[in-house]
Structure formats: structure tokens, C-alpha cells
């Protein structure tokens, strides 16, 4: 077998048993790896309607067939579970070194189940695997945990939860390499509920063999050349990282501003890549994921900030666009230094900056509009108040005072409030929104409404530059193609930012990578079918959780459907030209995905995608 290792490692924290299992070849061919493989096992193993914090929930850490090979831009990894924030399917992707490391350890997949009696960490090493006592690590930040577990061997790759995960904050994240995160859906709380502090993987650096090393080398060269070509054309992601998107999103009227009340932030220049460059040019350095030739990520070389992790340099990150958008514009904060500090605190405490920027933005709007109930009046906080945000973060992570209410996420917090509060709560299926307002792009609302994980900027956008000025049905072809492309990249795994090399990596390119690393015949049609299968299975997982038709949950927040953007380039737009268009587009979308009008896959679709034998529980 090439590309895949064909094995998974199962760790039962209840019994402390660790065992290897073979992964059936058919499963690897049908679900590819990464997100696909995690989704397959989640669907098979996690019973419907359990509490995500119950020991019966499981955590799947999955690499893809490209990880650990010489194919570049493949340093990422996927995690899949049932989300404590949404009570539904969640998958999250992360950069760094963990994906190749898991493959080198000999596994495509790590499954963690049960619950430890006392705090534990999992060690995977060439000398043997173990569940170790983590009592001394409990209560520590992710940075302290990583430092402690890397002490003996700096090449050890660590994934840990912080105080937020230990306190079961519903949007707690998992952190690796001090600043990379499985950000979305509360995976840090899944660890916390299992009393699992961390996973540490040690391996020797070896390449995962592919069937034809010349073919592999030739594909490697092609991808490097395409990346060089993009650089010659001024590749923004390479030269400026994701912060360049602040100006871009603002210029096209999609930048989240004051809890999505607007899409054009007057302070955007202050937090743009230009401003970061001016302030920190000499202090920053590239910190790419393993084997990346795009290299979008930056950290500080010698941080002069007082919150630097002890004894470490270079591990305070320049915030990504999503953080600048949601902890900047969405909170009315135009202070780069404060956002860098807040981002670093979130990384240390294990908080998802996207959800944090939403939940605090929600609190700020409630304060602004006098919608806080009497007992919460003391929690009043103004847009732009960076100091109060910095004070609030540890309170959320430790569930103190108002922090305890916010730690539940926007949906749950809103459900405890009366009246107008619901109308300003921005979430779908309980997941808070990314930093791209759907009122700025035709059809984007359909992507947010239908993604199994909830609204994410990484689940496929229609390829259009138009705002919602026509029926969303006009961009359905491109939305479906882009959704499938994202599924494929997250299953192979290759970074989404390969959309920016020249020419960009599309579905055919994914087929070429799959065939090169595994030797198994792959065509544009066959990988597209696999993407359809994976996309639908994630939906089928959710469908088991609902009391009524899945369609009822594929919705957008009140704000995006009913409140036109007040100013800026997209002034006057809502996410769809009308409610009727949303409903018609959704029906057409279901049809194209092989579902009935309620959003359930039809028997024939299930049959055609080879999912029939998994359907007994639906
Ligand atoms: S482009 Fe950025 S996120 Fe993607 S693999 Fe490279 S460094 Fe990581």
C-alpha cells in the first residue's frame, strides 16, 4: 500500500488500552483520508443524540494520503468529532507538523474514546505508546503544556487543550505549535470532557513511500513552479499572509463590523497588513507549516511583549485575517497591538478567536442597545474597549462571572435572554460566523446555511465577485464544485491556499495528487464522487440528530436575511434578493445534492454513492 499507512491507532481512555487496527482498503478508497476518513468513523461509531461531552463521543485525528510524502503544501491535518457547541458534526483543519508526524508514526487515523479517571496525556513514540498521568499539566496553558512535553525532545509535536477546554467552554480550541489551532466547534472541550490534556507524537523524519518516485518528484516540481509563478505575480498570501485580506474584505463590503451591523470598518487601515508591516517589519519571520512553498504564516522573532511564553521566542503569532476581522472590526477595535495580545491570550487559554469575536461582539451590541437584563448590567462593554476584552478572555476560559454565560456560545447565551436579543445573535446551527459577511457575495449564504459544520469560510464559496444582486440559483454550479474541492483538499490533505498558486489547484489537480501518492487510479469524476459521498455523509450524521426536517436547520441569522447593509460598497444588500429566492435556491441545491425537499438524501443517491449499508440507523 502506498500513500496510506492502512492502520489506525485506537486509545480508550476509560480502560487505558491502546491498540492498532487495520483500516479496510475499501474505506480508504471511498473516503480518501483526513476529513473523509474521520467522517466515516464518526458516522459508524458515535451513536445518535449523545451529549458531545459524554465519554461515548469520540475524537478523530486524521491525516490524508498526501501527508508525509514529498508533495508540498501538505503539512495540515484534520480533526472530526461531535461538537459541544452545535451538538452536530464538526470537522476542523490545522497547519503545523502534526499531520506528517502522525503518518510517520505509522497511522492514518488516531481515535480517542472513553474518559480517563484522572488527567491524562497520550504519548505516541517509536519506543511505545502510553496513556500518561497529566495531573501536573492540568490547569496549565497550552503554551506551558507544549513547553513541558517538548522538554525531553524538542522534535515532539504536541496538541493540547488549555484552561478553556478543561472548563468545557463550548468553543474551546486545541492548540499545536503555540499558535496553530483546531479552532472551530469546541474540540478543546471534547478533550476537557475526556480529561485529556494533550497528545504528543515523536517520530523520525522519514518519507512515506509512493509507487513512483519520479512521478512524485515531477509533481513536486510542478507545484513548486506554480507557486513561484504566483510569487512573480505578487502572491499576496506569500508576501503579506492572510492580513492582506483586511483591506480586501473592507473594499468589497464583507468586513465584519460591530457584530456584523456593518461591513465597512473605519479603522481597517490601522489593522491592515500595511500597518502590521510598518510596525513590525523587522520583528517578524515566516513560520510555515511543514513542507510549504506558499508560506503564509508569520510569528515574531524576538517578542518584546510581556506575555511571551517563558524561555521561548518566535512563537507569538501575527494574527490571521479571521482574528483581525472578528477581534478587530467586529469588536470595533482598531489597535493592532491589542489584537496581537488578545490573539496570544486565546492561543494560550485555548479559545477560538472566531467564536470569541462573535460572542463578545454580541455582548457589545446588547450593551449598545440596552438589551442586557438587569442582572447582567454590570457586564456592559462598549465597542472598541480593548482593555475590557483582554480582561474578559481569562474570565471566559475559567468560566468566571459573565464569562460563564459567554462560554456557552452565542446561541445558548441568546436563548437565556428575552426580546430583541435573538435578532442580533449571529450564528447558524449554533456555530458563530467567520469574518466574511454573506451579504457581500452572491450565494455565500447558501454555503453557510448548508455546511454540516455550520458557517465556515472554508466550506466552499461560489466563484463570483457579485454581491447578492440575482438569484442564488445562478451560482449553484460553482458553489457545488467549490464545496467538493474543499472536501477533497481536506481529505487528501492539501492546503486550501493552493487556490492561490498559478494555475490554481482544482479538482483535477486533487485527482493527480491522489493517484501519484497512492497509485490508485483517480479521475476528476472519481474524486468528485468521493467528495459527494463525504459531503453527504457529514449531512447524514446531522440528520440523525434532528427532531424534524433537516431543512429547518439550514438557515441564516435574522440579520443577514432581513437587515440591508447600512453603508459602504455593498450598501442595501441582504444575503439573498428575497426570502423566496433563498427557499427556491435551497430546494434546487438539495436536488443537485441528491436530497429531497426536506434536505434528506434520497434512496437512489445513497445507493449510487455506496452509502446504503451505512443507512440502517437513519
Ligand atoms: S499556505 Fe499557510 S496554512 Fe497553507 S500550508 Fe502553507 S503555511 Fe500552512
Amino acid at each position: 500500500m502506498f500513500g496510506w499507512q492502512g492502520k489506525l491507532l485506537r486509545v480508550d481512555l476509560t480502560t487505558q488500552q491502546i491498540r492498532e487496527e487495520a483500516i479496510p482498503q475499501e474505506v480508504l478508497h471511498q473516503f480518501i483520508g483526513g476529513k473523509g476518513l474521520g467522517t466515516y468513523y464518526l458516522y459508524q461509531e458515535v451513536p445518535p443524540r449523545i451529549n458531545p461531552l459524554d465519554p461515548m463521543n469520540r475524537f478523530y485525528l486524521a491525516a490524508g494520503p498526501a501527508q508525509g510524502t514529498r508533495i508540498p503544501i501538505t503539512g495540515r491535518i484534520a480533526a472530526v468529532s461531535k461538537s459541544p457547541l452545535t451538538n452536530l458534526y464538526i470537522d476542523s483543519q490545522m497547519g503545523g507538523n502534526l499531520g506528517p508526524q502522525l503518518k510517520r508514526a505509522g497511522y492514518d487515523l488516531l481515535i480517542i474514546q472513553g474518559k480517563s479517571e484522572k488527567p491524562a496525556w497520550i504519548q505516541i513514540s517509536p519506543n511505545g505508546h502510553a496513556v500518561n498521568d497529566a495531573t501536573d499539566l492540568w490547569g496549565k496553558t497550552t503554551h506551558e503544556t507544549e513547553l513541558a512535553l517538548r522538554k525531553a525532545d524538542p522534535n515532539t509535536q504536541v496538541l493540547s487543550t488549555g484552561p478553556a477546554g478543561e472548563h468545557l467552554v463550548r468553543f474551546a480550541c486545541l492548540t499545536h505549535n503555540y499558535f496553530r489551532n483546531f479552532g472551530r466547534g469546541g474540540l478543546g472541550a471534547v478533550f476537557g470532557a475526556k480529561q485529556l490534556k494533550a497528545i504528543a507524537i515523536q517520530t523520525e523524519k522519514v518519507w512515506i513511500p509512493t509507487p513512483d518516485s519520479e512521478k512524485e518528484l515531477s509533481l513536486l516540481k510542478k507545484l513548486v513552479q506554480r507557486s513561484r509563478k504566483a510569487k512573480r505575480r505578487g502572491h499576496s498570501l506569500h508576501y503579506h499572509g492572510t492580513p492582506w485580506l483586511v483591506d480586501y474584505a473592507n473594499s468589497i463590503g464583507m468586513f465584519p463590523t460591530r457584530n456584523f451591523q456593518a461591513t465597512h470598518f473605519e479603522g481597517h487601515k490601522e489593522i491592515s497588513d500595511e500597518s502590521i508591516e510598518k510596525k513590525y517589519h523587522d520583528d517578524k519571520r515566516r513560520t510555515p507549516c511543514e513542507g510549504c512553498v506558499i508560506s503564509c504564516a508569520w510569528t515574531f522573532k524576538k517578542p518584546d511583549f510581556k506575555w511571551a511564553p517563558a524561555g521561548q521566542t518566535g512563537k507569538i503569532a501575527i494574527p490571521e485575517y479571521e482574528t483581525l476581522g472578528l477581534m478587530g472590526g467586529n469588536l470595533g477595535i482598531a489597535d493592532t497591538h491589542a489584537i496581537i495580545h488578545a490573539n496570544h491570550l486565546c492561543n494560550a487559554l485555548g479559545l477560538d478567536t472566531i467564536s470569541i469575536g462573535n460572542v463578545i461582539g454580541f455582548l457589545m451590541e446588547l450593551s449598545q442597545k440596552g438589551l442586557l437584563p438587569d442582572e447582567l448590567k454590570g457586564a456592559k462593554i462598549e465597542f472598541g474597549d480593548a482593555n475590557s476584552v483582554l480582561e474578559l478572555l481569562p474570565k471566559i476560559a475559567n468560566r468566571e462571572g459573565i464569562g460563564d454565560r459567554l462560554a456557552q456560545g452565542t446561541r445558548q447565551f441568546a436563548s437565556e435572554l428575552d426580546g430583541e436579543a435573538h435578532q442580533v445573535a449571529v450564528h447558524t446551527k449554533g456555530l458563530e460566523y467567520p469574518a466574511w459577511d454573506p451579504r457581500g457575495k452572491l450565494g455565500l449564504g447558501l454555503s453557510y446555511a448548508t455546511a454540516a459544520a455550520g458557517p465556515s469560510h472554508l466550506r466552499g464559496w461560489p466563484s463570483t465577485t457579485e454581491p447578492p444582486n440575482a438569484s442564488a440559483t445562478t451560482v449553484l454550479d460553482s458553489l457545488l464544485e467549490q464545496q467538493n474541492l474543499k472536501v477533497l483538499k481536506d481529505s487528501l490533505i492539501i492546503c486550501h491556499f493552493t487556490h492561490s498558486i498559478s494555475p490554481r489547484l482544482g479538482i483535477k489537480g486533487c485527482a493527480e495528487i491522489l493517484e501519484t501518492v497512492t497509485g490508485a487510479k483517480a479521475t476528476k469524476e472519481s474524486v468528485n464522487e468521493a467528495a459527494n459521498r463525504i459531503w453527504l455523509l457529514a449531512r447524514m450524521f446531522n440528520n440523525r440528530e434532528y427532531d424534524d426536517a433537516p431543512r429547518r436547520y439550514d438557515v441564516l441569522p435574522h440579520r443577514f436575511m432581513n437587515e440591508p447593509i447600512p453603508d459602504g460598497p455593498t450598501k442595501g444588500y441582504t444575503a439573498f434578493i428575497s426570502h423566496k429566492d433563498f427557499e427556491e435556491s435551497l430546494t434546487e441545491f438539495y436536488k443537485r445534492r441528491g436530497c429531497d425537499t426536506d434536505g434528506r438524501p434520497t434512496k437512489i443517491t445513497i445507493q449510487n454513492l455506496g452509502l446504503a449499508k451505512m443507512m440502517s440507523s437513519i
Side-chain angles (χ1 to χ4, degrees), residues 115-175:
K115 178 182 178 181
S116 178
E117 257 181 33
K118 57 183 181 184
W121 67 278
I122 295 170
Q123 181 176 30
I124 297 171
S125 129
N127 304 322
H129 313 324
V131 177
N132 297 319
D133 188 344
T135 307
D136 290 351
L137 294 173
W138 207 248
K140 302 246 185 270
T141 66
T142 63
H143 295 156
E144 290 164 336
T145 305
E146 185 143 352
L147 280 170
L149 293 179
R150 291 178 78 155
K151 211 168 179 178
D153 174 6
N155 292 323
T156 301
Q157 299 298 328
V158 177
L159 178 71
S160 67
T161 192
E166 293 174 14
H167 290 103
L168 309 180
V169 173
R170 300 271 167 177
F171 46 84
C173 66
L174 290 169
T175 303

Side-chain angles (χ1 to χ4, degrees), residues 73 75-76 95 180 287-289 292 294-297 495 497:
I73 334 177
R76 293 175 68 82
R180 301 188 184 279
T287 317
C289 306
C292 182
I294 296 175
S295 191
C296 73
C495 179
F497 288 160

Side-chain angles (χ1 to χ4, degrees), residues 56-352:
M56 281 161 79
N57 193 14
R58 294 183 180 183
F59 175 83
Y60 301 89
L61 183 70
Q67 264 67 60
T69 69
R70 288 182 175 82
I71 303 299
I73 334 177
T74 57
R76 293 175 68 82
I77 188 162
V80 178
S81 190
K82 184 172 185 183
S83 161
L85 184 60
T86 65
N87 286 322
L88 296 171
Y89 171 89
I90 187 70
D91 69 304
S92 189
Q93 282 70 35
M94 180 184 74
N97 311 65
L98 210 60
Q101 196 88 334
L102 181 64
K103 285 289 286 292
R104 288 185 202 119
Y107 308 106
D108 300 301
L109 180 67
L110 171 66
I111 302 179
I112 300 169
Q113 61 195 60
K115 178 182 178 181
S116 178
E117 257 181 33
K118 57 183 181 184
W121 67 278
I122 295 170
Q123 181 176 30
I124 297 171
S125 129
N127 304 322
H129 313 324
V131 177
N132 297 319
D133 188 344
T135 307
D136 290 351
L137 294 173
W138 207 248
K140 302 246 185 270
T141 66
T142 63
H143 295 156
E144 290 164 336
T145 305
E146 185 143 352
L147 280 170
L149 293 179
R150 291 178 78 155
K151 211 168 179 178
D153 174 6
N155 292 323
T156 301
Q157 299 298 328
V158 177
L159 178 71
S160 67
T161 192
E166 293 174 14
H167 290 103
L168 309 180
V169 173
R170 300 271 167 177
F171 46 84
C173 66
L174 290 169
T175 303
H176 159 57
N177 221 343
Y178 305 96
F179 68 100
R180 301 188 184 279
N181 302 296
F182 285 124
R184 311 291 348 252
L187 292 168
V190 174
F191 267 39
K194 293 186 176 304
Q195 294 228 73
L196 175 63
K197 183 65 184 174
I199 301 166
I201 309 180
Q202 294 162 286
T203 57
E204 303 291 320
K205 182 151 183 175
V206 288
W207 296 112
I208 303 300
T210 60
D212 182 340
S213 54
E214 277 186 27
K215 201 173 167 189
E216 183 189 11
L217 213 60
S218 140
L219 181 54
L220 179 156
K221 282 184 188 155
K222 260 200 305 192
L223 289 167
V224 171
Q225 278 160 8
R226 285 158 76 174
S227 150
R228 286 197 183 131
K229 193 168 167 192
K231 284 171 198 160
R232 284 197 295 277
R233 294 177 174 178
H235 196 182
S236 302
L237 275 171
H238 170 71
Y239 290 109
H240 310 291
T242 57
W244 83 273
L245 293 163
V246 169
D247 264 353
Y248 173 69
N250 204 64
S251 72
I252 58 170
M254 293 182 77
F255 194 63
T257 303
R258 297 188 181 82
N259 198 33
F260 296 91
Q261 292 182 77
T263 59
H264 192 70
F265 181 44
E266 70 286 354
H268 76 277
K269 277 280 165 223
E270 282 303 307
I271 57 172
S272 67
D273 60 307
E274 242 181 83
S275 163
I276 289 172
E277 189 61 23
K278 211 159 43 187
K279 286 183 193 151
Y280 309 113
H281 176 79
D282 294 335
D283 298 328
K284 62 188 197 135
R285 70 170 180 194
R286 292 188 183 281
T287 317
C289 306
E290 183 175 322
C292 182
V293 293
I294 296 175
S295 191
C296 73
W298 299 81
T299 52
F300 286 96
K301 280 186 220 160
K302 289 185 181 167
D304 57 350
F305 302 120
K306 60 180 184 298
W307 55 86
Q312 285 285 305
T313 57
K315 293 299 181 186
I316 293 184
I318 301 278
E320 299 289 345
Y321 165 74
E322 288 295 318
T323 305
L324 290 163
L326 289 158
M327 301 197 79
N330 209 45
L331 302 185
I333 294 174
D335 174 349
T336 327
H337 202 78
I339 301 172
I340 292 168
H341 188 173
N343 183 47
H344 188 67
L345 263 181
C346 286
N347 288 339
L349 297 167
L351 291 164
D352 172 25

